[in-house]
Amino acid sequence: MPEEVFELTYAGIKELQHELDERKTVTSIEIAERLKEARSLGDLSENSEYDDAKEAQAKNEMRIAEIENILKKARLIEEDKISKDEVTLGSLVEIEDVERGEVQEYMLVSEKEEDIFKNKISSGSPVGAAILGHKEGETVGVRTPAGIINYKILRISRPEAYQG
């Protein structure tokens, strides 16, 4: 069985490395301080502050392990693999909802890098899957619970991290 590989953009790898550093230093120290304070309050059997801090510690350690695993298996999406002619992983894509005239710009990324609040959509999402492999000027239909939404691909480019 082939080993799992996570294709990530340059920015995605940098963000994960930053989060890992932050969790190993700042977050771990803050949690250790919370545990120390909670222990000083006495009886740990009914100490909700201690329980909360232990839970935060476990979640932090799980996320650290997850990030380390992702980075260990990460493969950088090379600049020359990001097409300016067709939508690929790593592409910046400007699309227009044909019916509403609303324009959005998204970066198409893998599921490990998806962050809708930063306009990063996964190639496995309905919109991401629909636009993948298409070219500027093409219109694609995306099936939603409310029906099919048609998007026109207005522009395809590379993220700034790849532009020299």
Side-chain angles (χ1 to χ4, degrees):
M1 184 172 170
E3 186 173 323
E4 189 173 21
V5 174
F6 303 115
E7 291 188 295
L8 299 174
T9 63
Y10 177 78
I13 289 173
K14 289 292 178 202
E15 284 177 24
L16 284 172
Q17 288 171 335
H18 176 74
E19 181 183 350
L20 182 62
D21 290 343
E22 200 59 27
R23 286 182 174 278
K24 283 185 165 184
T25 56
V26 177
T27 306
S28 291
I29 291 168
E30 288 172 355
I31 292 170
E33 287 299 316
R34 286 176 52 197
L35 284 167
K36 184 178 172 184
E37 262 183 54
R39 280 191 201 103
S40 73
L41 297 175
D43 184 13
L44 298 180
S45 64
E46 293 184 24
N47 186 331
S48 64
E49 288 87 358
Y50 181 78
D51 292 341
D52 290 346
K54 287 299 281 182
E55 184 177 332
Q57 183 181 44
K59 286 181 180 178
N60 190 49
E61 293 300 321
M62 282 177 30
R63 180 63 179 154
I64 287 171
E66 179 184 20
I67 294 170
E68 287 176 337
N69 182 54
I70 292 169
L71 289 173
K72 185 174 87 175
K73 297 177 180 181
R75 182 173 59 213
L76 176 66
I77 300 169
E78 298 290 337
E79 177 181 8
D80 60 353
K81 301 289 187 222
I82 301 173
S83 174
K84 293 181 184 177
D85 300 319
E86 95 178 25
V87 180
T88 60
L89 272 182
S91 293
L92 274 179
V93 185
E94 188 175 280
I95 59 174
E96 177 185 19
D97 178 326
V98 176
E99 186 177 314
R100 293 192 177 118
E102 295 173 359
V103 175
Q104 286 285 333
E105 183 178 69
Y106 294 108
M107 177 187 267
L108 192 66
V109 296
S110 69
E111 292 176 12
K112 294 294 181 189
E113 201 175 339
E114 180 177 38
D115 185 343
I116 193 64
F117 298 110
K118 293 181 180 178
N119 287 355
K120 293 180 176 184
I121 61 170
S122 161
S123 59
S125 69
V127 173
I131 64 175
L132 188 62
H134 287 276
K135 298 179 186 296
E136 272 184 27
E138 291 184 358
T139 300
V140 297
V142 178
R143 185 175 304 282
T144 71
I148 293 185
I149 299 176
N150 290 307
Y151 290 102
K152 182 174 183 176
I153 300 171
L154 302 177
R155 186 174 49 86
I156 300 169
S157 61
R158 291 183 181 134
E160 284 182 27
Y162 290 101
Q163 296 172 0

